[in-house]
Amino acid sequence: MSRRDGAVIDIVGRFLERLGVIDAERFRRTADLAWPRIVTGFAIMSKQTADLAMVGIAVGTAGTAGMAFALAYWEIVVMIGLGLAGGTVSLVSQNYGGEESERASLVVGQSVLLVFVLAAPMMAAFVVLPGPMIGLFDPSPEPLAHGRTYLVFVAPAIGFEMLNLIASRTYTAVGDTFTEMVARASGAVLNIVVSAVLIFGFEMGVAGAAIGTTVSTGVVTVVLGWGMVGRSYGSLGMEPSPVPITRAAVGFEPAIVRQIVEISAPEVGRRLTEGIIVFPLLWIAAAFGPVIVTAIEVGRRIRSLLNSVNWGLGLASSSLVGQQLGAGEEDEAGAYGRAIIRLSIVIYVGLALLVVALGEPIASLFVETPAEAAQAGTFVAVGAISAIGLSIDGAAAGALLGAGDTRLPFVASLIGRYLFALPVAALGLVTPLGIVALYLALLLETYVPGGINYWLFRRGRWKEVSRRYRPDANGETDSESVSDVDSDLDSETRRSSCRSDEPTGDPLGTDRLERPELTHSVSEPAALIRIAIPLFRRTPNKSRVRRS
């Protein structure tokens, strides 16, 4: 970061500190980690958004509808990769923060092995079963043909993308987000250029978009892989990983794999609940025609672009909270988490207002007629408003993830998306609500999990969970602490419900956020979680605790 950039961050940090949003020094550390990840996230999300716009221009709504169906499956790939990488960043950041670099390197190596295990069957499905996969949404010939084509040509990119996510999260966990930013942003530019040449120059349509994604993702894998094995980038300003993958790191280590799976499995589940819900949503949208399918996909893509801020702030929250916990500074970890949540909300409110004001002009880039632009513009505005819920969800879940507490955020995703958003969307098929039900579903799928995860963060249980995974923890203490956490779950929920009649004031005010003893009114989410938790409760086992 240049001296001028540092001066700007200092000015903004002091301004935000005066507003009570975040301490200036914490903002500097957060910004140092977040801004490259934000650029990276925007670059990655802009690839498919640009591809969708180019396909819309070259092919029309049949092409964009087919591509929307195919992207639903690609999103599943990304969500599985993100969930696995979530376990990686949690363990790497805590071990690296606790000066256990060799063990952090082992975590990375075992994560790569898991990528190969997970990617192979998904690649095979994309190649062998593209027709039935797209046919689940819409049997219409044109969207079916376009969606099938995209899946076949994008299949090789599955392994590349998952490896890239592991590499990116590893760099984030050790505090280097610049290296991955350069690699990912360069790959995004390459993707758009290759796709544009193939779509317009060679008239390859959807196939050109898929090939552009595959080529660019593979190039990024090569670039990041160079640094992940410890090789220098020379004068490019990029750095080799301080926890490089070695031959010893890729030898099978059951204990490490067990910990990665233990942390990642709920996070994969949480991510999948975010991704799988698009299947019934698109199926419902298909009942209203390809224009509505395109409109809801445009709204989701714009929301994904806004979510790039979450890429930075969520990962900064995970990394900074995890590092502070690894160093034994629980209070400082909590302070970082609270501050980043406030910062995220402020940023997203501003972005949402801007996008709502420009909704229809943005939508006109993806569709052909004014009527289609008006319809898509409404979805763009709703997507922008729902992104505020994502800001709370991302920052709060990021802090919980940094502590290794992933089970309850998983439950929060299930509750928000499948007990609230999906049933409301389905009402559009059987009531006069129609597409208004889809608007409501987009809002509920972010605000409900966001509210629950914020409450989970406020409870502070994640500090106790993190003690299992710190490099200086001992088996007896770890098992006892987790046992105490699990046994206390229902009683604490009941106590929270009993406090629901206390005055709450501003639920996001800085005075309350700095005082954990002041608890919000949470009776409704507490009751929902109390119903869902028994399905996911497990009994701790001392033998499963990693001894370091």
Side-chain angles (χ1 to χ4, degrees), residues 215-230:
V215 170
S216 62
T217 307
V219 170
V220 172
T221 301
V222 173
V223 173
L224 287 176
W226 183 267
M228 288 299 293
V229 296

Side-chain angles (χ1 to χ4, degrees), residues 436-459:
V436 173
L438 292 174
Y439 304 152
L440 296 174
L442 291 176
L443 296 171
L444 290 170
E445 73 168 318
T446 63
Y447 278 98
V448 174
I452 294 175
N453 281 326
Y454 175 68
W455 172 68
L456 291 172
F457 174 79
R458 284 293 312 278
R459 286 181 61 205

Side-chain angles (χ1 to χ4, degrees), residues 22-66:
I22 185 172
D23 173 84
E25 179 57 30
R26 293 192 186 111
F27 176 75
R28 166 173 280 279
R29 291 195 65 190
T30 301
D32 285 345
L33 276 176
W35 78 266
R37 284 297 302 161
I38 293 172
V39 173
T40 301
F42 187 84
I44 293 172
M45 292 297 103
S46 67
K47 293 189 305 180
Q48 291 169 347
T49 305
D51 284 350
L52 191 69
M54 289 187 284
V55 167
I57 294 171
V59 181
T61 54
T64 53

Side-chain angles (χ1 to χ4, degrees), residues 70 81 221 226 358 365 371 382 387 426:
T221 301
W226 183 267
L358 300 174
L365 299 174
V382 173

